[in-house]
Structures are given as structure tokens and as C-alpha cells.
Amino acid sequence: MQVRFNVVRQNQNEPPRVHTYTLEVEESNTILDCLNSIKWQQDGSLAYRKNCRNTICGSCSMRINGRSALACKENVGSELARLDKIANFSSAEKPTDFIPEITIAPMGNMPVIKDLVVDMTSFWDNLEAVDPYVSTSGRAVPEREFLQTPEERSKLDQTGNCILCGACYSECNAREVNPEFVGPHALAKAYRTIADSRDSDTENRLEKYNQGTEGVWGCTRCYYCNSVCPMEVAPMDQIGKIKQEILDRKDDQASRSIRHRKVLINLVKEGGWIDERKFGIEVVGNYFRDVQGLLSLGPLGLRMIARGKFPLSFESSEGTNTIRDLIESVQSLEKSTD
């Protein structure tokens, strides 16, 4: 079958341009196979990264039709089927001379060096920033080997599958708007050290990951990192686990981020959904303790009142008791599991 490949190309500090290449391919050909054909047969100047071609090394991560993925893992057939599903096409609707197209672009959140090759310096620097290694005392040579139970070792399996391909970092909305956020890849690795029974620096790590929006509170929970991860590491889930470790150790006076989470849960338990009148006062105003925070709510409150959007009363949702029982059951289960 014929497929048209639209490859976004650019040199460093230059605007991108699209080069189109038409290939005869099989549905089973991977996107990397197709890029190799373009480079070897049509345009030797095309630049991209590759190494093992076995979905292990993570070198060939790029954006394929708008989402970051490994070029050696995605094949032409599945990619075209995905596009058809998005466009809601059927074979009967396509003209006889229709040529399917696949668009390939460099990863996001990193500057382009050339074509599909990006500068991953920030990716590696942010990984280093979370100190993703077993603590120094844990690395000291012991009198005997470190032993782990199968249960302790199993906690490392999911995060240990990360191949540092950069797909999650490329699609991270939080990183795009907040350059201080270390990224989902780094925090997934951070949770691995927290879950490791050999590490002895958990408290210091949690303090570090709890800082401002650089750590776990910078995550906007958009799920993109989970959806594009080729190894099912689920970085957002690991970030959630770090948050829970912090919440278990801190009260609502520790920071606004922690207060936000605890107040939200308490208000849902109380009324089935959030009483927004209390939410701003308790989170931003810190239960009337933070005068500056309360004053910052004034303009918003006045606009809401003027537009009739400020509720004068609050009605609990139907099934509030059921919601409360569910939350308390989950909390009790988590405590018993710990």
C-alpha cells in the first residue's frame, strides 16, 4: 500500500517545515522501518534517533500523529486504524485514489537540534534533581547482602520498567506551562526510591518532592503521561502515591497544596460535593488565618455575586451518606494495608 509521510523538519533555532515522502509499505512495517526507508532511499539528510529497534532502549521516541510514542513499536496498520477511528472513516467513504497520511514530528517540551532529534538536557537534569538512587547508607557495603521479600521487590516492578524514552515528558502539560516542574519521568523514578525497602532517606525525599510546584504538586493530573507511556509505568499513578505518602505525614497547615487536598475530601464527605463557599475560605484563607489570602478572594467573590453565581445556601447531594461510607471504607482499607 502507498502511504504519505509528512515529516516535520527543522534546524536549530529555525522555523519548522514539512517534507512529504510517499512510500510503498506493508501494514506490518513499523514507523521506524519507514523512516529508515526514507533516509536510505530518498533523503539521507533526515535526522532521527534509533538504537535497538526492540522497544527496549527508548531512543526513537517522537510524536506520531500528534502523540509521543516509540517509532519502533508503532506500525503502519495500527496507526492508520487509529486515525480512521478518530476520523470515523469507513473504507466505503474513501475515494479510490485516497492515499493515507502519517505525520511525524519531534517530541515536545524540548528544543529541536535537527529534524526529529531534540535536546534532552532538561529531561536528564530534572531526573538528576530528584536523586533517583538508593540512599548513600543503602549503598554502603554491608556485612551481608540486602535481602528483600518478594512483596518488597514487587513494589519496584512497575516503575522499574521505565526506559526513559521521554514520551511522558514530551506530552506533559504541567511542564509546558511551568518550567520548574521536574516532570512525570523524574517523579516516577522518585517513587521507586521511596518504595525501595533498602533506601533510608524517605523523609528527606518526601520533603524535597513536597516543595512548591517543582515536585508532586506541580502535576495537573491530565493523564497524558499515563496514556503515552509505552511501558505502562503510569507516571501519574506514581505521583499520586508520593502525594499520599506526604498527606499521611502532614496536616493541613503544612502548605496550601496539602490543605487543598484534605479540604476537598472533607467537604465531599460532608456534603457529597464541594461547598465552594467554604472551599476558598478554608484553602486560600486558611480558615480565616490568612488575611492576605482572604483579601485575594474578594474580587472573585464580588464578581460571582454580581453575576448571580455565588450560592447563598448549600444543599447536600443525594447519596451523601453512601459517598461518606465509601471514602471512609477506602481510607480504612489503606490504613489496614499499610
Side-chain angles (χ1 to χ4, degrees):
M1 62 184 298
Q2 272 196 336
V3 176
R4 187 174 290 126
F5 290 86
N6 301 316
V7 182
V8 178
R9 303 189 61 181
Q10 69 182 104
N11 293 320
Q12 196 169 20
N13 300 321
E14 291 184 5
R17 60 197 184 281
V18 178
H19 285 196
T20 299
Y21 308 91
T22 302
L23 296 178
E24 287 285 343
V25 299
E26 301 288 338
E27 288 191 354
S28 60
N29 288 149
T30 66
I31 302 302
L32 183 57
D33 290 334
C34 299
L35 287 173
N36 286 337
S37 295
I38 292 171
K39 186 173 181 67
W40 296 338
Q41 300 171 15
Q42 296 190 30
D43 189 345
S45 67
L46 178 63
Y48 53 94
R49 287 191 174 112
K50 63 171 183 173
N51 193 11
C52 71
R53 302 177 69 181
N54 288 299
T55 69
I56 296 172
C57 72
S59 297
C60 62
S61 186
M62 57 191 68
R63 274 182 171 159
I64 303 170
N65 289 321
R67 86 196 194 294
S68 296
L70 296 179
C72 68
K73 184 177 182 181
E74 306 302 319
N75 62 48
V76 171
S78 63
E79 196 57 34
L80 292 180
R82 188 178 74 87
L83 290 179
D84 284 351
K85 186 175 181 181
I86 294 172
N88 199 22
F89 275 158
S90 67
S91 56
E93 296 171 333
K94 297 176 185 177
T96 55
D97 59 348
F98 175 77
I99 299 178
E101 297 185 355
I102 292 176
T103 299
I104 304 173
M107 288 193 291
N109 287 330
M110 290 168 277
V112 174
I113 297 174
K114 182 174 178 2
D115 298 340
L116 305 177
V117 179
V118 296
D119 183 350
M120 299 183 70
T121 300
S122 65
F123 176 88
W124 299 116
D125 286 349
N126 284 324
L127 179 65
E128 187 69 24
V130 302
D131 192 22
Y133 317 105
V134 175
S135 64
T136 303
S137 58
R139 293 198 299 269
V141 178
E143 294 181 3
R144 54 173 295 175
E145 68 273 18
F146 287 105
L147 299 179
Q148 288 182 301
T149 66
E151 291 76 16
E152 289 172 334
R153 180 59 183 84
S154 68
K155 293 180 180 180
L156 312 181
D157 291 345
Q158 188 174 21
T159 51
N161 287 334
C162 177
I163 56 176
L164 296 174
C165 65
C168 63
Y169 191 79
S170 169
E171 298 298 333
C172 180
N173 286 330
R175 174 67 194 175
E176 185 174 352
V177 300
N178 176 17
E180 300 300 319
F181 181 54
V182 294
H185 71 300
L187 292 171
K189 286 291 187 182
Y191 179 71
R192 188 199 179 284
T193 58
I194 291 174
D196 197 322
S197 61
R198 299 166 297 179
D199 189 88
S200 58
D201 202 28
T202 299
E203 296 299 327
N204 289 332
R205 292 184 186 282
L206 291 176
E207 285 294 331
K208 186 175 184 178
Y209 309 150
N210 183 34
Q211 297 302 312
T213 56
E214 299 174 21
V216 293
W217 305 112
C219 173
T220 57
R221 303 183 300 280
C222 67
Y223 284 93
Y224 274 5
C225 57
N226 280 14
S227 67
V228 299
C229 178
M231 305 304 290
E232 299 183 357
V233 173
M236 201 200 77
D237 293 6
Q238 314 314 322
I239 294 172
K241 292 174 184 176
I242 298 177
K243 287 181 179 179
Q244 192 58 54
E245 293 283 350
I246 294 170
L247 291 168
D248 289 342
R249 290 168 167 80
K250 301 284 188 179
D251 62 24
D252 57 11
Q253 294 302 303
S255 70
R256 183 180 291 183
S257 297
I258 292 173
R259 190 161 56 250
H260 182 283
R261 178 64 64 89
K262 289 182 179 288
V263 167
L264 185 147
I265 294 173
N266 289 336
L267 289 179
V268 171
K269 284 174 66 176
E270 182 180 318
W273 49 40
I274 300 172
D275 183 345
E276 294 183 355
R277 302 169 307 163
K278 291 183 178 180
F279 192 73
I281 293 173
E282 294 181 9
V283 175
V284 181
N286 194 11
Y287 304 90
F288 297 100
R289 294 185 180 94
D290 187 343
V291 176
Q292 187 175 357
L294 286 171
L295 292 175
S296 71
L297 293 172
L300 174 62
L302 291 174
R303 289 197 301 271
M304 292 176 68
I305 292 172
R307 297 179 184 181
K309 294 184 177 181
F310 189 86
L312 298 178
S313 61
F314 177 80
E315 294 183 7
S316 298
S317 68
E318 294 183 5
T320 297
N321 291 333
T322 302
I323 293 171
R324 184 182 302 117
D325 290 342
L326 286 170
I327 293 175
E328 291 176 351
S329 295
V330 170
Q331 290 174 336
S332 297
L333 181 61
E334 288 176 343
K335 287 180 180 179
S336 63
T337 302
D338 293 340

